[in-house]
Structure formats: C-alpha cells, structure tokens
Amino acid sequence: MGDCNGSESLPTTRNWLKSWVSPLDLSPWMRSFKWIPSSAEDLAATERTILAYLKTQNHGRFVPLSAGFSVNGPDISHASPRNRIWTVSINGNLSDSTTPVVLVHGLGGRLAIWAQNMDALGHQRTVHAFDLLGFGQSSRPVFGTTAETAEAQFVDSIEAWRKEMKLNKFILLSHSLGAYLAASYSLKYPQHIRHLIMVDPWGLAAGPLNKSQERAQLAKFPLWLRAVAVLLQPFNPFACLRLAGLWGPNLIKLCRPDLLRTFSTMTTDEKAIVNYIYHCNAQHPRS
C-alpha cells in the first residue's frame, strides 16, 4: 500500500510494534517451567478422546509430503520428507464408486472439530479430515513472510497431500480460514473438485466497501475497543491463550461457551472439547 503523497514515511506504529513484538516468543520458556501444561502427546490424547465417540470405523496416519513439496524457500519443487499432514479417514476401504469428502478446518479448530459430522458424512462414502500444515498434529514449518507466499504454500501443501492420498476428484467441505484456502485451492486446481462447500468462509466479503461504509462499520464499535484492536494486531491471535498458562482451559470456557453447548449432544464430558481446543492452540507456533 503506497503512501498518501507518494513519498516515503516513517514506519507506522503498528509496524514498529510488530517488529519489536514478533521476535519475542516466551512460550518455550513458559513451557519449560510447565506454565503451559501442553504437549504433542496431550494433543493426540485429547483428539483420541473425542474421536472415540464416533460410531464409524476410523483410522489416523501421518501423510508425508515428499512428492515435490517444501516450504523452506521460494522454490517448492524439492522434496521435504520432514513435512507431513495428520489425517483421519472414515470408510477408507469403500469402493471408488462414490466421491470422497475432504474436510478442512478453520483457524481455531482442528480435524476433530468435525467429529459431530463425520458419522453422517461417512454413511455411504469415504471421508478424510486433516490438520492443515502448521496446525494440530501436522508439521509446523516456517512459512513465507508475505500473505501471498503463505497462501500459495498452504494451497500447494493441500495438493501435495492429495497426490499422496491418490485422490482424483473429491468434495471439498471447508470452514472459516479453511474455506478461504479451499476456495484458493479450487481456483488453482479445479480439475480435482467435484463440489466446493464453504461454511462461514473468511475473506469473501459481499462486496468492497467505500470509505463512508468503512467508517459506518467502525462506528459500530466503541472507541476503546477499536484502540485495543489496533494494539493487539501485531500479536498472534492465540498468544493470550499461551500467556494464560494454567488458566488457558478456563479462558476457553469463558470465551467460547458455545463450544460446550454444541458438543453437549455428543459427550457429557465438557473437558473433552475444552482440552482439545486448548492443546491445539497452546502448541509452540513456528510462523
């Protein structure tokens, strides 16, 4: 975005804060002192707890992205066996007569968020759910520093996963951030998409807003809330959860009581979904 008068300007306050805050990551230090009571083993255990409620047979595995994918540079044509995507499949042994469904989660969730839908979706077809690269139990590589590069790497990681899964055409059912990436994937690889279904997609506005409409939208929020939003922009959205440490699960219960209500039809153990969301997002971020 250019300067108003075409001249160079000093870094904005937001960019200055970002340059100062971004390198400051206390989560490894806090985890070493058990301030963050979470680990990869905890995440895997809480996911098994939720998936145990499924009535349909399922199995999980790591799918290595070794067929021409790497996020370690602008050239992603070299194999990188270190990157792998955690995948859970339902009815994986069904014949190829039906089109499989692929589930892509949103920002705060991971594949087990689809648990309430998996039995119904897998009634007569194969269902694959996976953790996006950098999320859940999948590998956490360092992505590019621009939105365009990171988006391309996400999209190409999905394509590398598809090749390893040997899928030709599939139904892509996606939510939130996952819906945005699914749309981007479908634009680049339309030959593999039978249907694209986006639930509450991010980044797909009804139309561009003019200046007066933007001001009207901002005016709906109090001034103090807008100021806090500007100050928090440099931070990772889940930094507060990690900073909360031992109180992280309680913070989720306070901020997302809707999750407890939603999953109450599946399990009476409210700790199951709270602990899963906590361990998904308390892991050390890479980028």
Side-chain angles (χ1 to χ4, degrees):
M1 186 180 290
D3 297 324
C4 295
N5 298 320
S7 59
E8 305 235 340
S9 64
L10 293 175
T12 63
T13 302
R14 186 176 68 179
N15 289 338
W16 178 84
L17 280 171
K18 186 173 183 179
S19 66
W20 183 80
V21 172
S22 296
L24 184 60
D25 185 3
L26 300 179
S27 54
W29 176 84
M30 291 187 294
R31 189 170 289 106
S32 66
F33 286 93
K34 292 300 180 182
W35 177 252
I36 302 179
S38 181
S39 66
E41 292 75 18
D42 293 327
L43 172 55
T46 54
E47 181 179 286
R48 287 194 297 269
T49 298
I50 294 176
L51 296 182
Y53 291 96
L54 294 179
K55 299 178 177 62
T56 312
Q57 183 180 6
N58 62 88
H59 67 282
R61 64 200 182 281
F62 285 101
V63 177
L65 304 186
S66 56
F69 178 80
S70 171
V71 296
N72 297 318
D75 180 8
I76 60 173
S77 62
H78 298 91
S80 179
R82 294 171 295 176
N83 294 316
R84 55 185 190 168
I85 286 182
W86 175 246
T87 306
V88 170
S89 300
I90 287 180
N91 289 333
N93 296 324
L94 287 181
S95 65
D96 296 334
S97 59
T98 58
T99 305
V101 175
V102 174
L103 306 176
V104 187
H105 63 79
L107 179 64
R110 306 299 181 262
L111 66 84
I113 289 295
W114 296 100
Q116 290 183 296
N117 310 105
M118 286 180 170
D119 282 328
L121 291 171
H123 180 58
Q124 293 182 327
R125 68 179 71 242
T126 299
V127 176
H128 303 294
F130 65 86
D131 287 335
L132 286 163
L133 202 65
F135 291 79
Q137 297 189 65
S138 293
S139 299
R140 294 172 178 258
V142 177
F143 284 84
T145 57
T146 66
E148 293 78 9
T149 301
E151 178 182 335
Q153 291 168 332
F154 271 120
V155 168
D156 288 340
S157 72
I158 297 174
E159 173 61 8
W161 174 86
R162 181 203 66 79
K163 290 179 179 178
E164 291 296 324
M165 295 292 292
K166 296 179 172 58
L167 301 178
N168 183 21
K169 279 188 175 292
F170 53 92
I171 300 168
L172 195 53
L173 173 55
S174 51
H175 172 246
S176 185
L177 171 66
Y180 176 86
L181 296 175
S184 185
Y185 175 87
S186 300
L187 289 172
K188 187 171 183 178
Y189 301 102
Q191 68 273 24
H192 300 304
I193 302 301
R194 180 63 56 84
H195 299 292
L196 171 63
I197 305 172
M198 298 183 290
V199 181
D200 190 20
W202 277 18
L204 302 177
L209 301 178
N210 57 40
K211 292 296 183 181
S212 61
Q213 290 173 322
E214 288 181 358
R215 287 193 293 269
Q217 289 285 349
L218 289 175
K220 295 179 180 179
F221 303 96
L223 181 61
W224 69 267
L225 185 58
R226 282 178 273 166
V228 170
V230 171
L231 291 174
L232 292 180
Q233 281 184 4
F235 294 88
N236 183 290
F238 298 108
C240 293
L241 184 64
R242 289 187 286 274
L243 287 172
L246 300 171
W247 292 279
N250 290 329
L251 183 62
I252 292 175
K253 290 174 64 175
L254 178 66
C255 297
R256 296 299 307 271
D258 57 305
L259 289 175
L260 303 182
R261 293 192 297 269
T262 299
F263 279 83
S264 64
T265 60
M266 186 176 187
T267 172
T268 57
D269 181 11
E270 68 173 27
K271 290 184 178 180
I273 185 61
V274 169
N275 288 337
Y276 178 63
I277 295 297
Y278 174 73
H279 291 304
C280 280
N281 297 298
Q283 304 299 307
H284 177 50
R286 291 295 304 273
S287 57

